[in-house]
Amino acid sequence: MNDPNIRIFSEIIPTEEVDYELMQTIWDVARGQYGHICKVDSEDDRGLLVKWAEGDERHYVRKKNLHWVGSHWICVPRPWKIYVSEWDDETLIAQSHELQSEIMVEGFSMESAVSKVRGKGLFSMFRLHRVELRIDAIALLRGLEWDLSPNGPFSSALDLEISPVTLAQTMKDSVMVNLAKELDNAWDRGAPEGIWWVAGGSGEVWCSDCIKPQMRCCCVGE
């Protein structure tokens, strides 16, 4: 895969099934370029060495900034959690070759799904995987703790230094736990259905006239 933006044509793997592996693609949002994992060190939080596509440059990336989006990792230092789920065994997206449009269809089999768009030529059919976005409360609070530290912006830029003793008391474990719970609860209250979208798996071309895969289409020459 040369461009992570074309991930709809790649095999989708649910988040819980993913391990870090050599040659997996990483898209770095800040750099605006992609690379491949060339070294994995499971004992190190920085244990992913990435070789970038342009030139021989290599550097480590932090695992906490990586999010699996079905076919590759994205590296973005923001407090998000992204989950890619299993295919639900019935929802697909049909992309029309003739109309250059797409619709969501359901069916207990590929044939039944294609029959929903019967008589409209060739379609690429993609199995849909739900992708859910949640906030990573712990990552957000760690960022807050850093911002309040002597090296953070409140001290360095705003000249509002907080002493280590006060910081430790303010951000003690019980406070952090309560904040994390309330942040998760606020996310659920604000978006009770979650923030989600769907991503395609590997596409398969079907003929909607004879309801068969393109390789077995019997409409040629008719």
Side-chain angles (χ1 to χ4, degrees):
M1 180 176 63
N2 292 327
D3 186 348
N5 294 313
I6 315 180
R7 59 180 175 272
I8 195 169
F9 298 112
S10 303
E11 186 63 36
I12 299 296
I13 304 173
T15 298
E16 59 270 16
E17 297 179 11
V18 180
D19 294 317
Y20 300 114
E21 296 180 3
L22 296 178
M23 296 310 295
Q24 285 176 332
T25 298
I26 291 180
W27 176 256
D28 191 305
V29 173
R31 288 169 165 264
Q33 65 179 154
Y34 69 92
H36 295 91
I37 297 175
C38 59
K39 179 183 178 183
V40 177
D41 184 350
S42 60
E43 301 301 321
D44 188 352
D45 181 57
R46 292 192 320 142
L48 296 179
L49 184 64
V50 177
K51 180 181 182 298
W52 301 102
E54 299 178 6
D56 264 341
E57 183 183 1
R58 303 175 184 219
H59 71 74
Y60 281 94
V61 298
R62 294 184 179 277
K63 294 176 182 177
K64 69 179 183 179
N65 291 338
L66 294 179
H67 305 273
W68 183 253
V69 292
S71 57
H72 65 281
W73 301 96
I74 60 171
C75 180
V76 53
R78 294 189 177 94
W80 302 125
K81 288 182 179 179
I82 299 176
Y83 297 99
V84 179
S85 66
E86 292 277 4
W87 180 47
D88 64 5
D89 292 326
E90 63 177 5
T91 311
L92 301 101
I93 195 164
Q95 294 183 340
S96 170
H97 289 206
E98 180 180 349
L99 302 176
Q100 295 297 301
S101 61
E102 62 184 38
I103 61 171
M104 194 177 296
V105 295
E106 294 183 350
F108 58 86
S109 67
M110 190 67 77
E111 288 85 353
S112 65
V114 176
S115 68
K116 303 288 180 64
V117 291
R118 181 186 291 274
K120 297 181 181 178
L122 295 177
F123 279 82
S124 290
M125 306 296 294
F126 296 90
R127 295 175 175 84
L128 295 188
H129 296 251
R130 178 173 170 134
V131 181
E132 183 180 6
L133 179 68
R134 292 192 61 85
I135 193 169
D136 186 339
I138 299 301
L140 190 153
L141 291 173
R142 284 174 178 165
L144 172 61
E145 194 170 25
W146 166 258
D147 288 342
L148 292 172
S149 73
N151 296 317
F154 287 93
S155 175
S156 59
L158 301 178
D159 197 24
L160 296 172
E161 184 172 357
I162 183 172
S163 72
V165 174
T166 304
L167 178 62
Q169 181 64 25
T170 303
M171 304 300 289
K172 58 187 177 182
D173 289 346
S174 59
V175 172
M176 296 285 272
V177 169
N178 287 334
L179 279 173
K181 288 180 179 178
E182 289 304 315
L183 285 168
D184 282 331
N185 291 338
W187 186 268
D188 291 333
R189 289 194 301 270
E193 299 299 323
I195 293 176
W196 63 275
W197 59 97
V198 287
S202 295
E204 184 178 355
V205 180
W206 279 68
C207 174
S208 68
D209 298 315
C210 63
I211 318 298
K212 291 182 179 179
Q214 184 182 32
M215 296 299 292
R216 294 193 286 111
C217 175
C218 57
C219 300
V220 178
E222 291 186 358

